[in-house]
Amino acid sequence: MGKLIVVFKREYLERVRSRWFIIGTLLGPAFLLLIVGAPKLMGDDRGQGTRDVAHIDVIDATRDGLGERVADALRTRYPLSRAPYVRTADPSQLPVEEDRSVLRVQRDEVLGALVLDSTTISGDSVRYAGRNAGSHRDLDAIRNVVRNTVLSDQMTRAGIDPKKVEAFSHLRLDMHVRKIGDKGLEKGNSIAVILLGYGVALMLYMMIVVYGQAIMRSVLEEKSTRVAEVVVSSVNTDTLLAGKILGVGLVAITQVVSWIVLSAAALIYFPQIMGGGGGGGAADSSGALNGAVSGAAGGASAAAALVATGLPSVPVWAALALFLCCILGLIFYASLCAAVGAMGNSQEDVQQAATPVMLLLVSSAVFMGPIMANPTSNLARTISMLPTSAPIIMPLRMTLVPVPWFEIVGSLAGVSAACAASIWLSGRIYRVGLLMYGKKPTIRELAKWVKEAR
């Protein structure tokens, strides 16, 4: 036990005292502030198109002036954009007009070309080609303008006042959602619960990736510099492996706790950077959720939602289960990473050998989106019970919906059994591989290491 504590203290203190750990701990929340606050500070409005979204050619082959009405709608909706150009064309001359617009786009005279024909009048389709064809935001903006204009024309022909219909369509209905648990209504907004679940799962994934790689590099460095030969002469390999896993695991927990504390302080003291002062209701919170899941740009709205609604209350047993998932998942993947580090002789060898382990981890992250969309599905239940994905998926499900206690216990039991198996397997590979130099071991040689290790 004394030697284990010595190895543990060395692994922990060596990393915590390093300059890069301190810089990473401080830059983590700063990076969060940057990716969350930059879109707001730069005035990015994700509901509109780019500034020049209306600077396009509108080719009108409808023979009823739809092009001019669409151009007027574009000018009204995007007053800061350069105006569109309208060209009336005979349907038989559409290919020629489209070729002219392609040349204008190539010369950067316009951003794209919008083609309106008889199928547009009937409300079936509209064609667009441009440099921004890969921007869903721009395409949605143009499609909405054309759709509203065509709809207005159809209502006018049917004798309906389009202005009244437009006024009715802008009716805003806020939905205030509360989650019901075993003890009744829970505090906080359900959107904040979803954001918390996504944040917990993402944090666990990042922690395992970052510190799993750290263990691999540490083992490889000790092996390549022959330090391991000196260390194992006084400490057995099982103690050395356990000390590494515990030390690096505590480093990960230390950094994550520091990130949470500093990020929470940033959310409290700089809410104007995050979202401009909250007060958006459920509709704004829903937009925050979509932005958070889609990527870093959505962090501004997500953070604003958390500030506005407050963090949801988490029962003690749920917090304990989340903590156990975190610890067991880290131990499981850390032991595998240590074994991978002992197998290789160079950084390239380690990266290749780590591919199966990383695939197990990445496959868990791939299912986060579908499980957030339907956390009660059979897929969600199955993935949250697999030992390789349970440390990430089960915390996600627990924060989204009530999970039966036997599923949580079964998931933790499965991860615990997987940890025991991975520690046993990794210990045997580590015991032999740490002092094995030369070529990369084959699968048959690895099986021989596991069988003959003492």
Side-chain angles (χ1 to χ4, degrees), residues 107-378:
R107 293 194 296 262
D108 292 329
E109 296 177 8
V110 291
L111 192 62
L114 179 68
V115 179
L116 310 175
D117 55 16
S118 59
T119 60
T120 309
I121 290 290
S122 62
D124 291 333
S125 65
V126 63
R127 298 204 307 276
Y128 179 81
R131 292 191 181 276
N132 59 340
S135 172
H136 294 289
R137 183 174 58 183
D138 285 4
L139 298 181
D140 287 341
I142 295 173
R143 183 191 302 112
N144 289 336
V145 169
V146 177
R147 180 179 61 84
N148 292 338
T149 304
V150 172
L151 181 61
S152 177
D153 289 347
Q154 291 180 349
M155 287 189 296
T156 300
R157 287 193 293 269
I160 303 173
D161 187 356
K163 293 184 179 179
K164 291 183 179 180
V165 176
E166 183 181 3
F168 294 150
S169 65
H170 287 147
L171 174 67
R172 176 169 179 164
L173 181 64
D174 291 340
M175 178 178 288
H176 302 281
V177 183
R178 295 280 300 277
K179 184 178 179 181
I180 299 179
D182 295 336
K183 297 183 179 180
L185 287 173
E186 296 183 358
K187 296 180 180 179
N189 190 286
S190 62
I191 301 300
V193 174
I194 297 175
L195 293 173
L196 176 63
Y198 180 75
V200 168
L202 187 60
M203 187 67 71
L204 289 176
Y205 173 78
M206 292 174 56
M207 185 172 63
I208 292 173
V209 168
V210 171
Y211 286 97
Q213 295 284 339
I215 288 181
M216 280 194 297
R217 288 193 300 269
S218 175
V219 173
L220 178 62
E221 181 182 357
E222 290 181 353
K223 180 178 179 180
S224 59
T225 57
R226 304 297 177 105
V227 173
E229 298 179 4
V230 178
V231 175
V232 296
S233 63
S234 57
V235 180
N236 65 63
T237 54
D238 290 340
T239 302
L240 183 60
L241 177 62
K244 279 185 174 296
I245 294 175
L246 294 177
V248 175
L250 187 58
V251 172
I253 295 173
T254 302
Q255 189 163 62
V256 169
V257 170
S258 301
W259 280 346
I260 293 174
V261 172
L262 294 175
S263 299
L267 292 175
I268 293 173
Y269 291 106
F270 301 101
Q272 70 279 6
I273 295 180
M274 298 301 170
D284 292 338
S285 297
S286 178
L289 171 61
N290 294 330
V293 176
S294 63
S301 300
L306 286 174
V307 172
T309 60
L311 289 174
S313 59
V314 179
V316 176
W317 67 267
L320 179 61
L322 292 175
F323 180 75
L324 288 177
C325 284
C326 171
I327 296 299
L328 293 175
L330 186 60
I331 291 175
F332 174 74
Y333 281 101
S335 59
L336 294 180
C337 289
V340 169
M343 288 162 46
N345 297 289
S346 65
Q347 189 67 33
E348 292 76 13
D349 293 345
V350 169
Q351 293 298 330
Q352 292 179 2
T355 300
V357 179
M358 290 298 106
L359 287 178
L360 290 176
L361 188 58
V362 171
S363 63
S364 303
V366 168
F367 287 102
M368 287 173 59
I371 289 175
M372 287 187 68
N374 190 3
T376 59
S377 65
N378 292 330

